Amino acid sequence: MCNTIALSTASLLLLILLSSFGSDTYAIVCTYMGERHNDGDRWVVRSAFIIECHVYPDGSWRADVVACQTPKGIEMHDGDEIMEDDVKLQCEKLPSGGYRMQKFYFNQNITCEGHKFGEWWISKRNFNKTCSPTGTYIMNCLTDTGIPIELNRSVILSGTRYNCTGHSNGLVTFTRDFPRNFHITSKIEQIYCTVNDVQKKINETWIEDTNFIKKCNERAVTIVKACIADGFIIDLNSKLTRNGKTYACTGSDNGNVLFKIMPVIDNSTHSGSV
């Protein structure tokens, strides 16, 4: 159960009281609910808020809410939380400049398995519990090795599926699913080149279009490794002269390869390209 009270500086009824101490001397004080307060004085209103009096040289003054206070007299500031007698107190400064004190009441009969409010612990090896305002609450599950699993989530570890399931009645179940059969798949996928609907293995070579030696490389890409003619193998980007002929095997930047056979005696040329 939550109870909220708020107090704003603007809601205070503040009056200026001028007390004469002589013909030309005045003392300025803050007045709230008929009580006078000097500069720097603090007082508590509604048993929850601390007000401070500020007097300025120009004769003006104001009283501001500067903090909250617990029933036992502990001063609280914006964002503070304190537990007192099974009541959680929260102090919040509002955008308007005022303050809000919230009180959360807890059932004193809640034992939380012997733990205090806010504490957390591991229960039955697989449940991470905490003591909440309504009693014991399971925050998440844990595997046998201590790996956390969020509510309504599953993880697979070493072939076992762990399930942490929260139900509408507040019950949390932790289950393990171990498959009866395993389908083992190689981590290395088998790849190959396909040439004219024929699969070529990695590093396999073959002759294509009479004059080109092709290869399926490690990335499953078909490349021209060399040229061939008249029983001679001409490496890529090289020339070979035999029996009055010059054989030239030249690769281009776009991946094409040009093969030429040039007679040494005359300029007639036989050529092919791929």
Side-chain angles (χ1 to χ4, degrees), residues 39-82:
D39 182 42
D41 284 354
R42 286 185 165 197
W43 64 98
V44 179
V45 298
R46 299 185 187 176
S47 302
F49 302 102
I50 299 175
I51 300 178
E52 185 172 343
C53 176
H54 300 281
V55 178
Y56 302 99
D58 62 358
S60 62
W61 64 270
R62 62 181 293 168
D64 295 312
V65 183
V66 294
C68 304
Q69 181 172 291
T70 72
K72 291 187 176 181
I74 299 176
E75 184 172 317
M76 300 175 63
H77 297 278
D78 182 35
D80 288 349
E81 290 187 3
I82 292 179

Side-chain angles (χ1 to χ4, degrees), residues 92-211:
E92 177 187 2
K93 186 175 183 179
L94 304 176
S96 62
Y99 275 76
R100 174 188 293 148
M101 171 75 88
Q102 289 185 300
K103 299 180 180 181
F104 298 87
Y105 299 90
F106 300 98
N107 187 346
Q108 296 184 6
N109 296 323
I110 295 176
T111 60
C112 289
E113 302 177 19
H115 295 272
K116 296 180 181 179
F117 172 75
E119 290 184 347
W120 65 272
W121 66 99
I122 306 300
S123 177
K124 298 180 180 179
R125 190 177 185 180
N126 298 117
F127 298 99
N128 187 10
K129 294 184 177 181
T130 185
C131 186
S132 71
T134 57
T136 301
Y137 173 74
I138 297 178
M139 297 188 295
N140 57 269
C141 303
L142 298 168
T143 67
D144 294 338
T145 56
I147 298 175
I149 306 173
E150 297 179 12
L151 288 176
N152 300 315
R153 296 290 298 272
S154 299
V155 298
I156 298 177
L157 299 170
S158 302
T160 300
R161 184 184 185 91
Y162 297 88
N163 309 291
C164 183
T165 307
H167 303 274
S168 58
N169 60 359
L171 181 68
V172 175
T173 57
F174 178 68
T175 58
R176 304 172 181 84
D177 299 332
F178 192 80
R180 179 176 298 178
N181 298 313
F182 290 94
H183 176 67
I184 306 300
T185 303
S186 174
K187 293 183 179 180
I188 302 176
E189 183 180 0
Q190 186 175 2
I191 56 177
Y192 47 82
C193 300
T194 301
V195 180
N196 297 326
D197 297 327
V198 177
Q199 294 180 357
K200 302 290 185 179
K201 296 180 181 180
I202 299 299
N203 294 324
E204 182 179 351
T205 60
W206 66 96
I207 297 175
E208 191 172 310
D209 296 331
T210 306
N211 298 116

